[in-house]
Amino acid sequence: GLADLAGLPTTATGGQMMIGILKSNTVVDAIIDRFNLMELYEEEFRLAMRKTVVKSILEAEEDAESGIVTVAALDEDPVRAADLANAFVEELQKKLQGLSLTEAGQRRLFFEAQLKQAQQVLSDAEDAMLRYQKESGVVVLGPQMQALLDSITQLRDQIAAKKVQISSLQTYAKQDNPQLKVARSQLAAMNRELKQLEEQQKQRAGEVLSTMGEAPETSLEYGRYARELRYASATYDVMLKQFEAAKLDEAKDFSTVQIVDTATPPDYKYKPSRALICIIGTLLGFLLGCGWAFFASSIHSMKDEWKAKNSVPA
């Protein structure tokens, strides 16, 4: 039987690539395990079963004009044929969900990884600050030191955003891209300004107040922890905003796979054709009969000739 018409528009990736994914080991193995095909076909080796699925069960082709991919499955059971065709499309959708096929999807994956790193850094900074406060008893900063730390945090926030912009540009832009060059120049200027502010922060470290008294070394240490915490928090906020924006951009894209028609059990047998089998069988039988008659006649003639040569006159 033939399960037909599981149509897949290919606006984003191209039909040939989808057909290639359908024939990949990941998708084929999922189908084999899902329908227990090795036991059904009495196949001992998975590699041989994969070849059977790709060559004998799965049929997929792309329409050159519409770009629609038609997926079909061949099986002795028409219901199972339909289930196989639909299962191929389902497994294709699952596979495509884990692939980054569009620019928006690539940005979303990039910012998702960056967000996880920023979240871990923020958690570590919070834990470090909490441990230090418990050990030293530092409770508050002086106003000038607070303002300086805010400036440092804001600048490091801008540097983090600029680094993200550069990393995003590097995913598709060449090294001589003007926009990439400008971004790198701005990042270098920000780093120089940050270095100057950090030097000022070290000079004003004595403005930190502690319940244990004003100790410069304690103040300097507290400033460092406070700065790292503020920077980690600001970086996390930047990554979160970028990640949410990338998710929205990805959601605006059309779905990679849209099913036009689901596969249904066929109304008639696709192959083999009984009429064709009868015609071919009749022709083969006729040819075999003629061959056998010719062979038997030749044998009979050879016997007669041999008898004639070896007969003794009376």
Side-chain angles (χ1 to χ4, degrees):
L2 170 66
D4 201 358
L5 297 178
L8 309 175
T10 57
T11 57
T13 63
Q16 293 302 319
M17 191 200 68
M18 286 193 175
I19 293 175
I21 295 177
L22 282 170
K23 295 180 180 180
S24 66
N25 290 342
T26 303
V27 174
V28 172
D29 285 344
I31 296 297
I32 292 174
D33 296 334
R34 184 170 174 177
F35 291 88
N36 200 16
L37 294 182
M38 294 189 68
E39 181 178 348
L40 184 65
Y41 282 78
E42 297 181 353
E43 182 60 62
E44 182 180 359
F45 303 103
R46 179 168 290 267
L47 180 60
M49 190 67 242
R50 287 174 180 169
K51 293 181 180 179
T52 300
V53 171
V54 172
K55 294 182 179 180
S56 303
I57 297 179
L58 173 65
E59 289 191 0
E61 60 181 12
E62 179 188 14
D63 183 77
E65 296 181 358
S66 65
I68 293 179
V69 175
T70 301
V71 178
L74 298 176
D75 194 84
E76 295 178 353
D77 185 349
V79 176
R80 187 166 57 226
D83 293 339
L84 281 166
N86 289 324
F88 270 108
V89 178
E90 292 173 6
E91 295 298 331
L92 174 63
Q93 289 177 312
K94 293 179 182 178
K95 184 64 177 176
L96 290 176
Q97 288 177 357
L99 298 177
S100 177
L101 301 175
T102 64
E103 183 180 345
Q106 291 176 356
R107 289 200 305 271
R108 192 262 305 167
L109 290 175
F110 173 77
F111 287 121
E112 184 177 4
Q114 294 296 317
L115 180 62
K116 290 180 179 179
Q117 294 180 6
Q119 186 175 16
Q120 183 61 44
V121 171
L122 176 59
S123 178
D124 294 341
E126 290 174 341
D127 293 340
M129 185 64 170
L130 180 61
R131 288 194 303 267
Y132 180 76
Q133 286 180 326
K134 289 181 178 180
E135 294 174 357
S136 65
V138 175
V139 293
V140 68
L141 289 175
Q144 293 183 354
M145 176 62 76
Q146 183 69 54
L148 184 58
L149 286 177
D150 289 341
S151 299
I152 292 176
T153 301
Q154 184 178 5
L155 185 57
R156 295 188 72 175
D157 187 6
Q158 296 173 0
I159 290 175
K162 187 61 64 176
K163 287 181 178 179
V164 170
Q165 180 186 1
I166 293 174
S167 298
S168 181
L169 287 172
Q170 287 176 339
T171 59
Y172 61 88
K174 295 182 179 179
Q175 297 297 323
D176 57 350
N177 184 279
Q179 189 176 359
L180 183 59
K181 289 183 176 180
V182 171
R184 287 175 172 171
S185 177
Q186 292 173 344
L187 178 61
M190 291 179 182
N191 284 326
R192 289 193 296 268
E193 184 178 356
L194 176 62
K195 186 176 181 180
Q196 295 176 358
L197 291 177
E198 288 177 342
E199 290 295 331
Q200 295 180 21
Q201 187 262 332
K202 292 179 181 179
Q203 296 174 3
R204 294 178 176 271
E207 295 182 12
V208 179
L209 300 181
S210 170
T211 57
M212 298 172 61
E214 291 186 298
E217 59 277 3
T218 303
S219 302
L220 180 61
E221 191 72 10
Y222 178 84
R224 185 175 68 84
Y225 281 110
R227 182 186 63 196
E228 294 298 329
L229 178 58
R230 289 174 179 270
Y231 170 68
S233 179
T235 303
Y236 177 79
D237 291 339
V238 171
M239 293 299 113
L240 182 60
K241 292 178 182 178
Q242 296 287 352
F243 175 66
E244 293 296 336
K247 285 177 61 178
L248 291 176
D249 290 341
E250 187 179 26
K252 292 178 183 178
D253 293 341
F254 288 102
S255 177
T256 306
V257 177
Q258 296 179 358
I259 300 176
V260 176
D261 296 308
T262 58
T264 57
D267 297 330
Y268 61 91
K269 182 185 294 184
Y270 175 64
K271 67 178 183 180
S273 173
R274 291 184 179 179
L276 184 61
I277 291 176
C278 291
I279 294 173
I280 294 176
T282 301
L283 291 176
L284 288 176
F286 175 76
L287 293 175
L288 289 174
C290 292
W292 174 255
F294 178 77
F295 178 73
S297 176
S298 299
I299 295 297
H300 185 71
S301 299
M302 291 174 62
K303 287 182 178 181
D304 291 342
E305 291 178 1
W306 184 83
K307 289 180 179 180
K309 291 181 179 180
N310 293 279
S311 60
V312 180

